[in-house]
Amino acid sequence: MIDLLIRGASVVDGSGAAPFSADVGIVGDRIVVVGRADATPAREKFDATGLLLTPGLIDPHSHSDWSILGNRDALSTVHQGVTTEVVGNCGVTYAPIAAGDEETARRALAAFGYEGEVGWRSFAELLDVVHGGGTAQNLAWFVGHTGLRRAAERTEGDLVRAMERHLHEALEAGALGFSSGLEYGAGRAAETPELEALARVAGRYGAMYASHIRNRDAALGEAVDEFFRVVHAGDLRAQLSHLNVRHGTGAADGAWAEAVTRLERERRSGVDVLADMTPYPDGIGLAAGLLPEWLLAEGEAVAAEALRDPRVRARVRADSDRYWRFVHRGQWERVRLAVSPATPEWEGMIFPEIAAANGTDEWDAYFDVMAAAGGDLGAVQFMGALFEPDHVAEAVSHDRFLLGVDGFTSRRDGVLGARTPHPLFFHGSQHFLSHHALRAGTLTLEHAVHKMTGAVAQHFGLRDRGRVAEGAFADLVLWDQQLLRDTETFVLPERYATAARHVWVNGTPVVSHGTRTLHRPGTRLERTDVR
């Protein structure tokens, strides 16, 4: 007997095919029927006439590992129909951790609502802590290069050998592969041979490489070249994270198109590589990315204290042409302070507003924020006006781009709810469907769903996910199509998204009639070799 029979839905199955009408039956955590099942006995029958049924959305580029310990119910994301997130991106994971770094990690995670201690060391131990307490959504994990490097720096012996050992342990624990963030932090100090050495370890496991590449403006071509050098070193499957160009930062005309042409050429040669794009012209960033390496050489606490010295501030102003390069050009109105545990009164304000409140100019306001952060300097985050809308639309519609939010699951209460958030966290996934597919016509609904479900599952090796198909896991969403079309996703909602009326994760309801249930049926999705 079927546990649940969803009757008469309009199905967009995740393959890219046109919608069709069908009944969908679930037994346990699997889909067992897709077709006509009017006479099939079922413990529960649900009339889905007039509703749209899709696979649960899969975010291919998420940072919800930062906030999941403070938001296990994943409130902002499951209400958007997100049932799986690929996390550990941009090189930043809070494992492995070397002895002595526990308090730094604890304070960083506390900024995202975590109230516990950091008692783990290895990547496997972190996974046990996260999944031992339950999650609403499924999570598939990369281990971050920054985590690998910081842990290795605390041990004696060869740095790269120590990183290889930590990577080996993470891959044994089921990590998809490793990610890097090469515009900031430890990633900025990494040379290409170091990344190639890690790629060779990953290659022995059939693992993946995802990278926030070293440059997305004047040197985009060189950064893409480096990305593929690393990919080829390990013969890896790969994800080129948020392949986009920040406007007004010196990228040559046609640089983005040339990067995409290179990606296509690599695919034709046999490399299993895709890119992803974010939903909005706005995006998050790490505030420390503006700081020069010489300032950060002795650690974040030392750097923060040095920023109290006017002479150091003057030197940093002159040496700031990196990362969000439009700041170097004086365009501080494009930067909003998003996360700042030491100066929460300024969160949500753009820097001209902070400067006016502080009685300084924007640079000194920034230095004051970073100096106040002390050893938590790396936790300070920006929200920036980064991309032109036409550029976003072009990438969103491109066949080789998956659709990722590049945010983290949030909530309306507690530490996460206390700061002024951006629609990205409460509408980001739905924005692809509501705005790009149904209103702007950037791409068709079935194409958008495919790029957020079946295509993601196939590329990342998430077996039996991302499709409304017999034998697949029952990660499903029933949408009110009118609400989906009409929801204004450019503004911060007064409550959680409502168009996803019913959401199932592994056959268990996590949203019912638009309301979050108490269930946490999510699981850890481990690496599979799809070659």
Side-chain angles (χ1 to χ4, degrees):
M1 178 177 290
I2 289 175
D3 292 331
L4 173 64
L5 183 61
I6 302 169
R7 297 182 59 187
S10 176
V11 178
V12 174
D13 68 1
S15 69
F20 59 91
S21 180
D23 304 326
V24 175
I26 300 171
V27 173
D29 62 358
R30 296 273 185 165
I31 299 169
V32 296
V33 173
V34 179
R36 287 298 171 206
D38 295 344
T40 303
R43 293 184 176 86
E44 181 183 358
K45 293 186 178 182
F46 189 96
D47 184 2
T49 303
L51 297 178
L52 173 70
L53 182 68
T54 72
L57 305 183
I58 305 173
D59 188 339
H61 188 99
S62 171
H63 294 285
S64 285
D65 50 310
W66 300 350
S67 61
I68 193 64
L69 288 171
N71 184 23
R72 290 183 178 276
D73 293 314
L75 290 167
S76 71
T77 40
V78 296
H79 274 287
Q80 298 178 67
V82 177
T83 59
T84 298
E85 298 183 69
V86 178
V87 297
N89 286 289
C90 295
V92 183
T93 52
Y94 291 101
I97 294 176
D101 280 347
E102 303 92 340
E103 181 60 17
T104 299
R106 187 199 65 77
R107 291 198 305 265
L109 291 168
F112 297 95
Y114 178 51
E115 297 178 345
E117 296 298 320
V118 171
W120 63 84
R121 294 288 182 276
S122 71
F123 191 73
E125 289 169 341
L126 170 61
L127 299 189
D128 288 343
V129 169
V130 171
H131 292 281
T135 63
Q137 80 282 53
N138 305 309
L139 297 174
W141 294 75
F142 283 104
V143 63
H145 165 264
T146 294
L148 297 171
R149 202 175 206 274
R150 286 179 69 103
E153 286 171 344
R154 292 290 192 123
T155 60
E156 295 182 1
D158 183 81
L159 175 69
V160 174
R161 294 291 186 192
M163 292 175 67
E164 291 174 339
R165 289 195 299 272
H166 285 301
L167 177 57
H168 169 82
E169 292 170 358
L171 294 170
E172 286 290 324
L176 296 176
F178 77 105
S179 72
S180 65
L182 304 179
E183 275 194 298
Y184 43 71
R188 204 160 64 190
E191 296 183 354
T192 308
E194 173 182 315
L195 301 169
E196 290 176 311
L198 296 176
R200 285 188 283 272
V201 174
R204 295 198 289 271
Y205 286 82
M208 296 186 72
Y209 176 55
S211 183
H212 173 134
I213 57 178
R214 205 174 294 273
N215 183 285
R216 285 182 285 157
D217 40 69
L220 175 63
E222 292 91 329
V224 172
D225 287 344
E226 179 186 41
F227 171 79
F228 282 111
R229 277 187 59 185
V230 177
V231 171
H232 287 300
D235 189 22
L236 301 177
R237 291 181 293 127
Q239 186 69 13
L240 211 171
S241 300
H242 37 59
L243 176 56
N244 43 43
V245 173
R246 305 180 190 107
H247 73 87
T249 55
D253 290 342
W256 181 81
E258 290 177 8
V260 175
T261 298
R262 173 69 185 277
L263 185 148
E264 292 277 19
R265 188 165 68 247
E266 294 285 346
R267 283 188 61 85
R268 287 194 298 271
S269 73
V271 178
D272 186 356
V273 59
L274 292 174
D276 51 72
M277 184 58 190
T278 50
Y280 292 99
D282 302 338
I284 62 174
L286 298 179
L290 299 181
L291 299 175
E293 292 179 33
W294 57 261
L295 180 67
L296 296 166
E298 295 184 49
E300 294 172 348
V302 173
E305 184 60 31
L307 284 172
R308 299 184 185 279
D309 185 336
R311 294 168 299 179
V312 172
R313 293 186 176 200
R315 186 179 172 193
V316 173
R317 284 178 187 244
D319 186 7
S320 62
D321 190 11
R322 64 179 58 78
Y323 195 40
W324 289 10
R325 284 184 156 84
F326 54 85
V327 172
H328 181 72
R329 301 177 181 197
Q331 298 174 25
W332 278 105
E333 72 280 358
R334 293 171 59 180
V335 185
R336 191 175 300 275
L337 185 62
V339 178
S340 181
T343 55
E345 67 275 15
W346 291 339
E347 289 180 349
M349 298 169 66
I350 60 173
F351 270 84
E353 294 171 335
I354 298 172
N358 197 36
T360 63
D361 70 0
E362 291 87 351
W363 273 109
D364 277 321
Y366 167 67
F367 294 142
D368 286 346
V369 167
M370 302 305 271
D376 297 332
L377 180 147
V380 181
Q381 290 192 8
F382 290 155
M383 176 65 69
L386 304 180
F387 317 115
E388 295 286 6
D390 288 348
H391 176 48
V392 174
E394 185 176 14
V396 164
S397 64
H398 196 286
D399 284 344
R400 302 308 183 193
F401 281 68
L402 304 175
L403 306 182
V405 172
D406 194 15
F408 49 84
T409 189
S410 190
R411 55 190 303 149
R412 301 198 66 88
D413 59 353
V415 171
L416 289 167
R419 61 177 53 107
T420 303
H422 187 277
L424 178 79
F425 305 102
F426 292 86
H427 279 328
S429 294
Q430 187 174 318
H431 187 73
F432 286 119
L433 303 178
S434 298
H435 172 73
H436 287 291
L438 295 179
R439 293 199 299 272
T442 306
L443 68 178
T444 65
L445 179 64
E446 53 266 34
H447 192 196
V449 170
H450 174 60
K451 286 156 68 74
M452 301 176 76
T453 59
V456 185
Q458 181 180 9
H459 184 56
F460 287 90
L462 308 180
R463 188 166 293 161
D464 296 334
R465 305 278 173 182
R467 291 288 304 277
V468 181
E470 293 178 5
F473 285 100
D475 297 339
L476 297 168
V477 186
L478 269 173
W479 303 87
D480 181 317
Q481 292 191 71
Q482 195 63 44
L483 271 177
L484 188 61
R485 180 184 297 274
D486 293 346
T487 298
E488 177 49 72
T489 51
F490 279 106
V491 298
L492 185 67
E494 295 181 359
R495 52 183 177 153
Y496 297 111
T498 58
R501 304 303 298 162
H502 303 269
V503 182
W504 292 267
V505 174
N506 298 312
T508 297
V510 295
V511 174
S512 180
H513 299 281
T515 301
R516 178 72 175 91
T517 71
L518 298 177
H519 304 301
R520 293 176 178 172
T523 190
R524 173 163 58 101
L525 305 184
E526 296 190 4
R527 182 191 66 259
T528 57
D529 190 343
V530 300
R531 293 182 298 183

